[in-house]
Amino acid sequence: MKNKQLTVALLGFGVVGSGVAQVITENQDRIVDATGRGADIRYILDLRDFPDSPFADRIVHDFNTIVNDPEVDVVIEMMGGSHPAYEFTRASLEAGKSVITSNKEVVANFGTELLSLAAEKGVRYLFEASVGGGIPVLRPLSQDMAANRVQTIDGILNGTTNYILTRMARGGVSFETALCEAQQKGYAERDPSADVDGHDAARKIVILTAMATGLRIDPNTVPVEGIRYITEADVSIAKAMNCAIKLIGHMGRVEDHLTLWVAPCFVSRQNPLANIDDVFNGVLIDTDMLGQTLFYGRGAGKLPTAGAIVSDLVDIATHPFDAATALRWTDAPAHTLVSPADDGLVCLIYRKGDAMPETEWAPVVSETAQAIIVREGEAETVIARGETRPIATYRMSLL
Ligand code: HSE
């Protein structure tokens, strides 16, 4: 592949796919400067035709056209969803083509297997854009911070929910209106419940954890709570406490185990994550040697995500497969993951009336049930009066 122009096929020509075509075209000179060669988009796979697009002549509808063309070096998968994205990724790797993706669902669910297949075939499988949108975080974590032991990761990992929470906190915008805006701006997933209910953030904390530890936790085992039930009353309480409500994805070490969760948190204004608003993401990583590092930038959107994808293309052009340094993950045994109850403080907000929801990972249930309870070890502190139904479990470990 060296010195030859990289021949690329795009799977998907939606928001991100069209962004990748734009970045490769408009910034071709930057790619040539960085790699010594250009990148040529030969095919774009999509169900639709785009007669008015400058790329109309590259549109194909049959994946076999791509996988059977020996001149295609790199397949960039931006289809979303597990299927057929997973099957197309496997087939591309089997055919000896490197694969780049922004698809968190495929990486979190099948990353171990796909990295192993890539190594077996002597090609690369890269997914910088799958976490943090345009923020370079996976490559720094696996390369620049490789001599560190990562202790904790706390991240605002979903742009859509951060946009919604920010709009609600600034007042006057309902949850539904803010979600609509995020969809119009191209931030939300095809099925926005992946954003709103926290599953997208769970996949991202799984990927970050695997990059930090080499262990892939099954995303279906991560306790997840989204922002669907956050109300203006919660936002007011947060403000009164000088906090922001943020949807946080967390990874921590508990002795030899890991704890992962996704939940809305009251984050103190002292914490840099509290001031990360709109579509921006932030990933706060604490390591034994470096201490805390914050990665910050646009967590979703056409060009930021496309830029991260093209950074993987530059990586492939400059670093061909090397068996000694190839990334490999191991699927973590079930006992690796311990309950979030073993990892710090918990806060519940109570509202009057409704029944208590069963959440196996909500270890604090107040007898008095008329307050926000913060628990640290055996000590419980009442920090605000409310009503009596727990509407959300807030982790206070960031305070
Ligand atoms: N829907 C995702 C988000 C896109 O809002 O963060 C970027 O992964």
Side-chain angles (χ1 to χ4, degrees):
M1 206 155 64
K2 205 163 171 60
N3 296 329
K4 154 186 167 304
Q5 196 174 46
L6 275 177
T7 302
V8 174
L10 312 186
L11 308 187
F13 201 47
V15 173
V16 179
S18 59
V20 168
Q22 184 178 339
V23 172
I24 290 178
T25 308
E26 287 183 14
N27 284 0
Q28 182 77 215
D29 58 331
R30 298 281 303 126
I31 296 170
V32 172
D33 284 350
T35 67
R37 54 189 154 151
D40 170 46
I41 300 172
R42 178 160 299 179
Y43 303 112
I44 300 173
L45 181 77
D46 205 287
L47 293 171
R48 302 160 291 181
D49 282 308
F50 296 85
D52 300 329
S53 161
F55 298 95
D57 60 336
R58 331 277 171 95
I59 301 287
V60 294
H61 303 300
D62 182 359
F63 173 67
N64 289 314
T65 310
I66 293 168
V67 80
N68 292 332
D69 183 340
E71 292 190 1
V72 172
D73 303 306
V74 182
V75 172
I76 305 181
E77 184 273 302
M78 299 158 289
M79 307 175 73
S82 280
H83 306 286
Y86 160 74
E87 287 78 10
F88 288 180
T89 301
R90 267 205 76 95
S92 302
L93 295 171
E94 291 274 11
K97 302 176 190 313
S98 291
V99 176
I100 297 169
T101 190
S102 54
N103 189 328
K104 303 79 62 146
E105 196 171 324
V106 170
V107 178
N109 282 315
F110 306 107
T112 307
E113 169 196 331
L114 294 170
L115 283 167
S116 162
L117 178 59
E120 188 189 311
K121 296 291 172 184
V123 292
R124 314 275 315 273
Y125 180 50
L126 295 177
F127 36 84
E128 181 63 61
S130 67
V131 177
I135 309 172
V137 61
L138 298 185
R139 197 169 292 112
L141 184 54
S142 69
Q143 294 183 4
D144 305 315
M145 297 166 79
N148 287 256
R149 185 176 166 84
V150 175
Q151 312 287 14
T152 59
I153 302 174
D154 286 292
I156 295 172
L157 301 174
N158 183 269
T160 301
T161 44
N162 207 38
Y163 182 87
I164 294 170
L165 290 170
T166 304
R167 296 287 278 140
M168 288 174 72
R170 287 182 187 157
V173 176
S174 70
F175 177 94
E176 288 75 20
T177 304
L179 173 58
C180 255
E181 288 175 5
Q183 286 172 312
Q184 278 158 11
K185 287 172 183 280
Y187 302 156
E189 296 299 300
R190 205 166 32 186
D191 172 7
S193 73
D195 298 302
V196 168
D197 295 320
H199 302 295
D200 179 77
R203 291 166 188 146
K204 290 167 175 168
I205 195 68
V206 162
I207 296 169
L208 284 164
T209 300
M211 295 305 278
T213 66
L215 290 173
R216 188 196 69 95
I217 303 286
D218 179 351
N220 300 311
T221 63
V222 175
V224 176
E225 184 171 323
I227 66 161
R228 201 178 281 277
Y229 303 110
I230 304 287
T231 63
E232 283 168 25
D234 306 322
V235 172
S236 304
I237 292 169
K239 274 188 190 151
M241 293 168 62
N242 201 25
C243 289
I245 297 180
K246 296 292 178 189
L247 184 68
I248 299 292
H250 172 85
M251 185 283 285
R253 290 181 191 270
V254 181
E255 295 165 358
D256 291 337
H257 298 87
L258 297 174
T259 180
L260 275 75
W261 48 258
V262 173
C265 296
F266 282 174
V267 182
S268 159
R269 287 280 167 201
Q270 313 291 317
N271 187 306
L273 293 178
N275 301 307
I276 292 177
D277 287 332
D278 295 311
V279 73
F280 286 84
N281 282 192
V283 188
L284 193 57
I285 302 180
D286 197 8
T287 76
D288 56 353
M289 299 296 154
L290 178 59
Q292 278 195 340
T293 309
L294 177 66
F295 295 85
Y296 168 78
R298 286 184 187 276
K302 176 175 172 166
L303 292 177
T305 310
I309 287 173
V310 178
S311 80
D312 281 343
L313 195 59
V314 168
D315 189 341
I316 287 171
T318 48
H319 299 96
F321 175 78
D322 173 6
T325 57
L327 184 64
R328 287 183 177 82
W329 292 349
T330 304
D331 284 344
H335 64 77
T336 308
L337 198 63
V338 294
S339 160
D342 297 330
D343 181 38
L345 313 179
V346 175
C347 164
L348 299 182
I349 285 194
Y350 291 91
R351 286 272 164 72
K352 195 169 274 171
D354 303 324
M356 202 86 83
E358 296 292 326
T359 59
E360 60 182 79
W361 57 288
V364 183
V365 176
S366 165
E367 292 296 315
T368 51
Q370 289 255 346
I372 298 172
I373 308 292
V374 179
R375 180 181 182 188
E376 183 170 17
E378 294 306 305
E380 283 191 358
T381 316
V382 178
I383 55 175
R385 287 281 155 196
E387 302 177 56
T388 59
R389 177 177 67 91
I391 53 139
T393 306
Y394 291 100
R395 301 281 147 192
M396 302 297 285
S397 54
L398 300 176
L399 286 175

